[in-house]
Amino acid sequence: MSADPKRGRFAKAKGEIILREHEFDGIQEYDQKLPNWWLFTFYGAIVFFVGYWFVYYGTSLLTNPQQAVQEKILAVQAVQLKELNKLLADLNDSKLVYELATNPLYVAAGQATFTKNCVPCHGVDLSATQDDGKGKKIPLPGLPLTDHQWKFSDKPMGLFNLINKGSPPESTGNNGAKMEAWGQKLSPVEIAQVLSYVISKVPADFKDIPKPAAN
Ligand code: HEC
């Protein structure tokens, strides 16, 4: 408590400093009214906030950030779907095995995508293991892609679908690990490329796929 703080108009008129009665840790507060210009900006900000909030979230006059993001996502998904359908209209088992997986440029592009995205789970050599540097192989979460066994589909288009959409909903995964839908991150062309790379490593697995009709 400050001893006898001077208060009121009288002290103020004399130009004396007026303090409020409370004190905390030796800190005191002037007893002065905030200037009106300050108060009006403050109250104005509150009124503006209520109006702004109402217009944004209570009416459909302006799109709020959530709606804007949602619209963008839908637009991106529409573009992705169009691109996918365009590629799928033109893609089939024979084309993947005999055209794309034998095209060095396509396979090289697929290898780059594989190195960047798939190696952590499927390994550099597609064996789903990693060398620990002492000659021991540590298993990785993915399935081996060179063991000539295909868990879901042994058809190229089935594999395309699996990579695009990830583990099917009914899969319990490989030791519980499932694969994500790569279509969320890779373009359809990139998926076709990475699959061509995988096919190029085990062409014998796809020898039953009919050759494209000669024209
Ligand atoms: C986070 C780990 C992970 C990454 C990264 C990953 N996969 Fe997988 N992959 C898995 C798992 C786990 C399975 C088995 C899924 C299941 O059983 O449901 C699988 C299965 C597969 C299969 C089917 C294998 C079979 O024997 O039938 C293919 C093909 C495949 N992945 C390709 C890819 C490609 C291509 C990429 C990179 C774009 C990739 N994976 C990235 C974990 C991964």
Side-chain angles (χ1 to χ4, degrees), residues 33-120:
K33 192 172 168 294
L34 285 162
N36 281 338
W37 69 260
W38 193 95
L39 286 173
F40 282 123
T41 6
F42 178 60
Y43 296 134
I46 293 173
V47 172
F48 179 78
F49 157 72
V50 174
Y52 190 81
W53 179 76
F54 178 72
V55 169
Y56 252 107
Y57 292 99
T59 72
S60 51
L61 292 174
L62 297 169
T63 36
N64 66 46
Q66 238 164 314
Q67 290 166 333
V69 168
Q70 202 55 41
E71 277 167 22
K72 285 251 162 65
I73 291 176
L74 288 178
V76 168
Q77 283 175 343
V79 170
Q80 279 177 332
L81 190 67
K82 223 173 117 191
E83 209 190 325
L84 178 67
N85 287 336
K86 210 173 116 206
L87 185 92
L88 288 182
D90 198 35
L91 198 64
N92 54 51
D93 288 344
S94 307
K95 186 166 175 178
L96 271 163
V97 174
Y98 299 104
E99 271 181 50
L100 305 182
T102 54
N103 177 337
L105 286 177
Y106 220 76
V107 169
Q111 180 170 15
T113 303
F114 192 90
T115 305
K116 208 165 132 205
N117 299 284
C118 322
V119 161

Side-chain angles (χ1 to χ4, degrees), residues 110 113-122 140-154 158-160 162-164 166-168 170-180 182 185-186 190-191 194-195 197-198:
T113 303
F114 192 90
T115 305
K116 208 165 132 205
N117 299 284
C118 322
V119 161
C121 295
H122 292 287
L140 296 171
L143 285 171
L145 304 177
T146 46
D147 63 353
H148 311 297
Q149 294 184 26
W150 300 98
K151 182 173 174 182
F152 302 103
S153 166
D154 58 0
L159 292 171
F160 182 98
L162 174 72
I163 299 169
N164 186 40
S167 290
E170 67 275 11
S171 169
T172 50
N174 176 39
N175 294 321
K178 295 201 185 184
M179 191 163 74
E180 70 183 286
W182 286 99
K185 288 192 186 147
L186 303 177
E190 284 172 316
I191 293 177
V194 81
L195 176 57
Y197 170 68
V198 172

Side-chain angles (χ1 to χ4, degrees), residues 9 22 47 72 99 107 120 132 134 136 203:
R9 275 178 216 282
H22 57 243
V47 172
K72 285 251 162 65
E99 271 181 50
V107 169
D132 71 349
K134 297 175 206 131
K136 223 179 120 214

